[in-house]
Amino acid sequence: MEQGFVELLAGNADHAAEFDGRFDDLQTSQHPDFVTVCCSDSRVLQDRMWNNDEPGRIFTCGNIGNRVVQAADSGTVVSGDVLYPIAHTGTDTAVVVGHTGCGAVTATYDALTGDLSDAPGIEHCIDLLKPMIEPGLDALPEELDRETTINHLVEYNVDQQVQTLLDSDDVPDDVTVVGAVYDFQDVYGGKRGELHLTNVDGERDVATLRETHEEVADRIDRRWEY
């Protein structure tokens, strides 16, 4: 067996030894406080980004492009993995987490502005992102370099995912929906790995957000106001 996987299993043994007693109250049910929707990128560590090691606290979802939607016979709907904790476990806060330099946003941008050919499963994911990102193309400032363009669209995509949850009849009005960007590329000027809040319940204006949420004002930032 590949040595790297053997090392993963050894790490799991350490995990099991440490966490053996932490599942006692979670044997038959879960009631996470948060559902997070992150991009399925190996650089985006869903629990570690919050420094969370508490089982049952965060319901984690990951997919290409931190999408909150999936295709159904009736059309595009809120993804079941995002909706499940909201509908069935009492979760009342949803957090959409994009990340700097997102490959899914890059691929969607390339598909919208040129041509993209990939495996059908990947193209399906990109097709779900296209209607989210396409309206943002016309709003982009002129003469941006490619890297800045992508990071602007990362924020735009997070905004669209947040708004989709806010607009959905399947998501109760009392659910708080937060948008954030995970930065490991020095785009926001903080420490690598910091989360920057960019959207709370549809509000995007940085000054307004900082005034309204003073307790986290230093974590609120955007690269693109539109």
Side-chain angles (χ1 to χ4, degrees):
M1 183 171 289
E2 199 270 325
Q3 181 59 31
F5 185 68
V6 173
E7 293 171 359
L8 284 181
L9 285 178
N12 174 253
D14 293 339
H15 164 79
E18 180 183 352
F19 279 73
D20 183 46
R22 298 195 189 185
F23 294 97
D24 292 346
D25 297 329
L26 300 169
Q27 295 298 301
T28 60
S29 65
Q30 60 172 326
H31 301 284
D33 296 317
F34 313 96
V35 53
T36 61
V37 190
C38 299
C39 191
S40 53
D41 188 296
S42 64
R43 300 164 294 183
V44 180
L45 308 176
Q46 287 212 52
D47 276 299
R48 290 294 294 166
M49 72 168 64
W50 311 104
N51 201 29
N52 177 61
D53 63 358
E54 181 182 340
R57 187 181 186 203
I58 302 175
F59 193 101
T60 56
C61 308
N63 59 58
I64 291 177
N66 42 273
R67 306 182 319 275
V68 303
V69 296
Q70 68 183 58
D73 291 341
S74 59
T76 302
V77 298
V78 173
S79 181
D81 51 1
V82 180
L83 190 59
Y84 176 82
I86 293 172
H88 294 289
T89 72
T91 302
D92 58 8
T93 301
V95 187
V96 179
V97 182
H99 69 90
T100 52
C102 179
V105 171
T106 301
T108 306
Y109 171 73
D110 288 341
L112 289 168
T113 58
D115 190 25
L116 179 73
S117 178
D118 215 318
I122 296 174
E123 288 191 353
H124 171 75
C125 296
I126 300 305
D127 286 343
L128 289 171
L129 284 172
K130 283 180 180 178
M132 298 284 195
I133 293 176
E134 186 170 20
L137 298 182
D138 291 338
L140 285 169
E142 296 182 1
E143 299 181 357
L144 293 181
D145 60 47
R146 179 177 174 83
E147 180 180 345
T148 304
T149 293
I150 297 306
N151 286 320
H152 279 21
L153 291 176
V154 164
E155 287 187 347
Y156 189 83
N157 180 46
V158 168
D159 292 337
Q160 300 312 298
Q161 307 297 333
V162 167
Q163 196 60 47
T164 297
L165 292 178
L166 293 174
D167 291 343
S168 173
D169 293 336
D170 294 323
V171 178
D173 292 339
D174 60 353
V175 171
T176 298
V177 185
V178 178
V181 176
Y182 181 72
D183 182 17
F184 52 84
Q185 297 178 327
D186 307 310
V187 171
Y188 288 79
K191 294 180 179 178
R192 292 178 182 175
E194 279 188 345
L195 280 156
H196 298 266
L197 306 187
T198 59
N199 189 316
V200 179
D201 286 333
E203 179 60 64
R204 307 191 313 263
D205 181 72
V206 170
T208 301
L209 287 172
R210 287 175 176 171
E211 181 178 352
T212 306
H213 305 282
E214 294 182 356
E215 69 281 11
V216 292
D218 62 331
R219 305 305 298 276
I220 295 171
D221 198 6
R222 292 185 65 90
R223 297 298 87 185
W224 186 25
E225 300 286 356
Y226 60 89

